[in-house]
Amino acid sequence: MAQSVDDVRRLARTDLAELDARTCVCRACPRLVTWREDVARTKRRAFRDQRYWGRPVPSLGVADPRVLVMGLAPAAHGGNRTGRVFTGDRSGDWIVAALHRAGLANQATSVHAGDGLALLRTRIIAPVRCAPPDNKPTPSERDTCAGWLDAELPLVSGDLRVVLALGAFAWASTLGAARRAGWSVPRPQPRFGHGAEATLAAPHGPVVLLGSYHVSQQNTSTGRLTVRMLDDVVGRAAELSCLP
Ligand code: SF4
């Protein structure tokens, strides 16, 4: 079990199935371990009869994606409750419905881990796999969890055509992981924006990094991110995923 950043880097050197298993018992970030478990004990009133997952949340989707959706971290009462990323909260409602409209998910809803959701040509990764207070991991927590991301990216990127980064944190995490994986990244570093695009040179070919505002309630309830704006970028990701 990973108890430190060095443990994460050592234990992450494995295959994809074992990576998920090792991720799920990670305890390398003391503040996040305390938070995720406290939330799972105290619960939100609406979910008081449910058993919370309260652990790191693994990636979701196919093992050989053409589209990688990069998020931030599981939500305290979403992924940290249901055990599946973007599941059981408003953010999940938005992104899964958009993936469905673009032909990248078999259904429009993401309610609980056994609801039959299947992603098509797509995988979702959270660069920080434990729910953080206020959705804000510290730089040290980000860097510690990057060990899991760095191990996963080469395992799943052989057919990858596009990374859809939900927010500036996801954008920067993708660029960092790509650089550490030996991909060529443009200089100066491409800047995040909604609809921004940059082409990264991976060993197997070009991968487009595509930016979108995050599907957080803060963005969707204020109109900073609308359904149409999200559909435009997810549709673009779907289009890029079909490139030979
Ligand atoms: S955030 Fe990542 S590295 Fe930190 S405890 Fe959770 S899974 Fe482990």
Side-chain angles (χ1 to χ4, degrees), residues 69-236:
V69 178
M70 194 72 76
L72 195 170
H77 302 280
N80 189 56
R81 172 173 61 90
T82 60
R84 201 175 67 183
V85 69
F86 281 128
T87 299
D89 63 3
R90 291 290 295 150
S91 299
D93 292 345
W94 272 68
I95 189 62
V96 171
L99 291 171
H100 179 63
R101 288 191 293 271
L104 298 174
N106 70 331
Q107 62 185 44
T109 56
S110 176
V111 182
H112 59 81
D115 61 11
L117 174 66
L119 301 183
L120 311 171
R121 312 196 301 282
T122 300
R123 185 174 184 86
I124 301 176
I125 296 182
V128 173
R129 299 176 189 225
C130 292
D134 299 323
N135 293 320
K136 286 190 182 124
T138 65
S140 156
E141 290 158 353
R142 174 202 62 203
D143 293 347
T144 300
C145 209
W148 298 121
L149 175 61
D150 289 354
E152 183 167 343
L153 188 64
L155 293 174
V156 302
S157 60
D159 291 327
L160 196 62
R161 297 292 182 274
V162 54
V163 179
L164 174 59
L166 299 179
F169 186 96
W171 180 271
S173 294
T174 303
L175 288 172
R179 203 173 280 117
R180 292 189 295 273
W183 300 12
S184 176
V185 174
R187 295 257 175 215
Q189 178 160 304
R191 293 180 58 150
F192 170 75
H194 187 82
E197 290 191 22
T199 301
L200 315 178
H204 68 281
V207 173
V208 175
L209 174 59
L210 179 58
S212 169
Y213 292 142
H214 193 279
V215 287
S216 66
Q217 263 194 285
Q218 199 178 4
N219 287 337
T220 57
S221 66
T222 57
R224 185 166 196 248
L225 179 66
T226 65
V227 169
R228 185 169 183 170
M229 288 167 69
L230 184 59
D231 280 350
D232 284 348
V233 289
V234 176
R236 174 72 176 140

Side-chain angles (χ1 to χ4, degrees), residues 8 23 26-29 32-33 36 56 128-130 144-145 148:
V8 169
T23 298
C26 181
R27 303 181 69 82
C29 304
L32 298 189
V33 171
R36 78 192 191 204
V128 173
R129 299 176 189 225
C130 292
T144 300
C145 209
W148 298 121

